[in-house]
Amino acid sequence: MMKKYLLLTIVVVIFTAVWLSKSDPQSTTLAKTTKQVVEVINVDKQMLHENVSILGTVFAKHSVEIKPESEGKIKAIHVSSGQIVEQGMVLMELDNRHQLAVVKREQARLIDSQRQYENYKQLFPKGAVTQKLLDSAETQWLIQQAELLLAQAALQDKTIIAPFSGKVGLVDLSRGQLVTPNTILTTLDDASELRLNVPIAARHLHLLEKQQKVNLHSMALQGETIPATLTSIDSRVNSQSLNVYLQFSMDNTHLALTPGSLVTADIPLKKQAELLVPRQAIVYQGHERFVYRVEDDAVFKVAVTLGERNDESVQILSGLVSNDTVVYKGTVKLYDGAKVDIKS
């Protein structure tokens, strides 16, 4: 019984709604005949002020891992962790007794080969030796010179020196410790000049200035900034990301930043005159982007292609021309062909 009453109630409600809509046809078209009050703006070319945000870690201009050229035991350690060193300073020494002996042996061999060669040169004009013996003695003398140079180089490799001035990293070694060419003895960084490599979209390249300056921010700077200069642009664009790398250099003489520090910055792009509209004039509908262009007292949807943007405006690449009038306030209830009243 209850089901019958419920069904009857639903039928009555539907019948009443249909009757009311037919009895007052003007009510269904009221929304379409009411003019929407809107605010408009004339599209014109303006200067587009745009920044590109970057983020990356800085690295030292000169940075190297100090490794021995050959295997050996540590004989002496002349530096400590974090020490500032000058180029050519001795950092460590490996046991070199074997190499010293080799050098002395090769020196003796060189003296002997040179004496023999000199003797053959004196005997050759008298016919006591052949040209072949003389040439062989000369070759042996030259070979022995090279052998001595190799022995001296191996001896020098037992002394680890600083290739440039900078700051030594951690030194966790002991005298007598056996090391190999794969052992990292320490690191050396010249942080007086830092560099930063960061990617940006290749489409911005024409808007960059040569030797452009930016101010880098970092938590390590405690609210201060450090100026950096755009020094290089990579010669290739990444085919996957369509990005290109920029390299910035900065003076870090006072060691305000440590290599590896995270920094951020905004790169100001070259100002350019572009067709701009307020950002609130753009209507988004799925993947479609459009504006309402005003013609007489009506508006019509116009699909647009968007370009760069800033906090207030967006660049129009296609769809509009200069002096077009578009709605930038009151777009919510508009539709294609709607009548509007323009707020003065």
Side-chain angles (χ1 to χ4, degrees):
M1 193 69 175
M2 290 295 295
K3 291 183 178 180
K4 291 183 179 180
Y5 284 125
L6 180 59
L7 181 60
L8 181 60
T9 302
I10 292 174
V11 172
V12 170
V13 170
I14 294 175
F15 176 78
T16 303
V18 173
W19 179 81
L20 287 174
S21 63
K22 289 184 177 180
S23 63
D24 187 10
Q26 290 185 347
S27 63
T28 61
T29 60
L30 182 60
K32 292 187 177 182
T33 58
T34 302
K35 288 186 177 182
Q36 178 74 26
V37 178
V38 297
E39 295 184 38
V40 300
I41 189 170
N42 289 328
V43 179
D44 198 3
K45 285 193 172 183
Q46 304 174 38
M47 298 303 294
L48 178 63
H49 304 269
E50 186 189 5
N51 294 328
V52 173
S53 296
I54 59 173
L55 179 148
T57 55
V58 295
F59 59 95
K61 178 182 179 181
H62 298 296
S63 179
V64 68
E65 293 178 339
I66 305 296
K67 296 181 179 181
E69 291 291 334
S70 59
E71 183 178 303
K73 290 183 179 180
I74 296 177
K75 175 183 175 182
I77 301 173
H78 299 286
V79 292
S80 56
S81 299
Q83 182 176 337
I84 304 297
V85 298
E86 297 296 326
Q87 182 177 357
M89 177 177 171
V90 176
L91 305 178
M92 299 175 196
E93 293 180 76
L94 303 183
D95 186 3
N96 61 1
R97 291 173 297 172
H98 176 74
Q99 279 68 35
L100 279 171
V102 172
V103 168
K104 290 181 179 180
R105 182 188 67 191
E106 300 303 330
Q107 286 174 337
R109 287 177 175 176
L110 178 60
I111 293 172
D112 183 61
S113 63
Q114 184 177 6
R115 183 175 60 248
Q116 188 173 11
Y117 172 58
E118 294 295 337
N119 289 336
Y120 282 179
K121 280 203 304 183
Q122 293 177 3
L123 294 172
F124 178 72
K126 301 175 183 180
V129 296
T130 63
Q131 181 69 49
K132 182 177 180 180
L133 283 175
L134 179 62
D135 292 343
S136 178
E138 182 182 14
T139 301
Q140 187 59 40
W141 176 54
L142 294 174
I143 290 174
Q144 195 54 48
Q145 291 181 49
E147 292 290 345
L148 178 58
L149 290 175
L150 288 173
Q152 290 172 335
L155 177 61
Q156 291 174 357
D157 288 342
K158 295 299 181 180
T159 302
I160 313 300
I161 64 172
F164 50 83
S165 301
K167 184 178 182 180
V168 174
L170 296 180
V171 181
D172 293 325
L173 300 168
S174 301
R175 291 180 58 186
Q177 182 176 339
L178 180 65
V179 295
T180 70
N182 293 324
T183 304
I184 299 176
L185 304 177
T186 186
T187 58
L188 182 63
D189 293 293
D190 176 9
S192 61
E193 182 179 339
L194 297 178
R195 292 180 177 175
L196 171 68
N197 292 345
V198 289
I200 70 163
R203 67 177 183 275
H204 295 312
L205 284 180
H206 70 289
L207 300 176
L208 295 174
E209 302 280 1
K210 293 182 179 179
Q211 297 296 304
Q212 187 164 344
K213 308 289 185 181
V214 299
N215 289 320
L216 301 179
H217 303 263
S218 173
M219 293 183 64
L221 298 174
Q222 298 181 347
E224 299 294 326
T225 62
I226 184 170
T229 304
L230 174 60
T231 52
S232 300
I233 300 175
D234 197 0
S235 59
R236 294 184 178 183
V237 175
N238 186 294
S239 59
Q240 305 265 334
S241 63
L242 298 183
N243 288 337
V244 63
Y245 270 88
L246 309 180
Q247 185 173 96
F248 292 87
S249 298
M250 64 218 73
D251 181 12
N252 193 45
T253 307
H254 301 295
L255 304 181
L257 281 177
T258 302
S261 298
L262 183 68
V263 296
T264 61
D266 288 326
I267 306 175
L269 300 181
K270 191 190 305 181
K271 298 176 183 178
Q272 53 182 346
E274 300 289 352
L275 206 62
L276 302 180
V277 299
R279 296 185 67 165
Q280 59 264 45
I282 306 299
V283 181
Y284 298 84
Q285 193 173 73
H287 296 292
E288 186 182 6
R289 307 290 183 263
F290 61 89
V291 297
Y292 286 106
R293 184 172 59 198
V294 179
E295 298 181 13
D296 297 328
D297 62 343
V299 295
F300 300 92
K301 288 174 58 175
V302 177
V304 292
T305 303
L306 306 182
E308 308 301 333
R309 64 194 70 197
N310 55 30
D311 292 338
E312 299 178 354
S313 303
V314 59
Q315 178 188 7
I316 302 298
L317 299 177
S318 65
L320 295 175
V321 296
S322 292
N323 295 322
D324 277 347
T325 301
V326 299
V327 177
Y328 79 99
K329 284 187 179 180
T331 61
V332 176
K333 297 181 179 180
L334 291 183
Y335 53 90
D336 194 37
K339 299 295 184 179
V340 294
D341 276 333
I342 298 174
K343 185 177 179 180
S344 57

